[in-house]
Amino acid sequence: MSALKTAIKKRHTVNLFFTELIIALLFFSISGAVIFRVFVSADKKTRESMKKENAIICAQSIAEVYSETADIDKTFDIVFSDSGVVKSDTERGITLDKYCKPAADGEISLTVSELREDKASGTLSRLTLVFTSGDEEIYSLECSAYKSVGGADDE
Amino acid sequence: MKKYKNNSLTDVISTIGSMTLFLLFTGCLLMMIAVAAGTYDRINAGFDKTFGASASLRYISNKLKSADEVKIENSGKVLYLEGGGITDIIYFDKNALYEKSVSDTDEKTLDGGNKLFELSDMNVSEQMGLYQITVSHNGEKNSTFVRR
């Protein structure tokens, strides 16, 4: 009888230990999943911010060169050493990698469109830059350049 | 006796099951820690690469724009930016960018500057009325153009 009681007591202890272990493992698994999700989000945010930062620097370069040249083709040649894809008379496209350098299989797409307004005293050119990754817009910038008839230009 | 043997067998199986579950969980946790450490390393390296280079590019661009007169020497490694009676000397030396401010009348030497950024290389050149600033950091080259 006492041997039976000892056996039952031992079984209860083992069952209790097993239950506690399961609960502890469940708790740590859920916590681990949450922390893992945080790390994945942080990684994703870092990639996005890296792309945005590089896009901003690239846009700055294009704006500065365009304000000097007021010519979309010359701007592409100077900044990218590449003429890009000519979509129309006023639109150009180019594919860039995550560092905003020209790459045929890049993940960032840059579309540049130009609008010219001829006035009596000169030409006002407006440039719109749009950086996209997939369907999502990363960054956009509008800049302009003015070339007077006399030759002097202003931003 | 038989009952005792069965109970003993059950205990052994139960213990082995618990240990296996625990080992499985530990293995998964170690894998997760390895992945998280790898992700952290990648985040750190990406941050260092991007923001180290872009911050230095922005700093030099702003300095160039605000200077009255710019002189580029030593194959683009030294910039003399004059304005308001002060000359800012930005120079690249020993894998870092340094800056030093001296009066226009003082001797302009390339030592004793404040360390700004750690870079592998820096180069400033002039073309077609534009300054091209190129910096290299952790094997990656970044470049930007600034109007004169």
Side-chain angles (χ1 to χ4, degrees), chain B residues 16-124:
Chain B
I16 290 172
S18 307
M19 285 296 127
T20 311
L21 202 62
F22 182 73
L23 280 169
L24 194 70
F25 172 75
T26 312
C28 290
L29 203 62
L30 284 171
M31 265 171 49
M32 208 167 66
I33 288 169
V35 168
T39 307
Y40 176 78
D41 274 342
R42 200 169 48 245
I43 289 171
N44 220 19
F47 177 85
D48 197 35
K49 199 183 274 192
T50 303
F51 297 104
S54 68
S56 54
L57 278 176
R58 286 225 175 100
Y59 188 82
I60 299 170
S61 305
N62 289 339
K63 281 284 184 178
L64 279 170
K65 280 181 187 171
S66 61
D68 294 334
E69 205 179 310
V70 176
K71 282 181 202 160
I72 303 168
E73 289 183 20
N74 280 32
S75 311
K77 301 271 185 267
V78 181
L79 290 173
Y80 294 94
L81 309 167
E82 292 168 16
I86 303 279
T87 301
D88 278 330
I89 308 170
I90 296 177
Y91 61 97
F92 174 78
D93 188 30
K94 292 171 198 161
N95 285 339
L97 196 68
Y98 292 86
E99 188 188 18
K100 183 177 159 181
S101 294
V102 296
S103 169
D104 282 344
T105 53
D106 286 342
E107 198 184 343
K108 297 178 179 76
T109 56
L110 300 179
D111 58 355
N114 296 321
K115 191 175 178 181
L116 300 175
F117 305 100
E118 283 192 6
L119 299 170
S120 309
D121 194 17
M122 189 272 288
N123 185 272
V124 179

Side-chain angles (χ1 to χ4, degrees), chain A residues 18 32 67 71 73-75 88-89 96 98 109-110 119 130 135 146-147 149 155:
Chain A
F18 201 63
S67 66
D71 186 283
D73 291 319
K74 263 190 201 167
T75 304
S88 70
D89 282 342
L96 308 166
K98 60 182 177 179
S109 175
L110 167 63
K119 299 174 191 278
V130 180
D135 293 328
Y146 180 76
K147 264 202 161 23
V149 172
E155 192 172 346

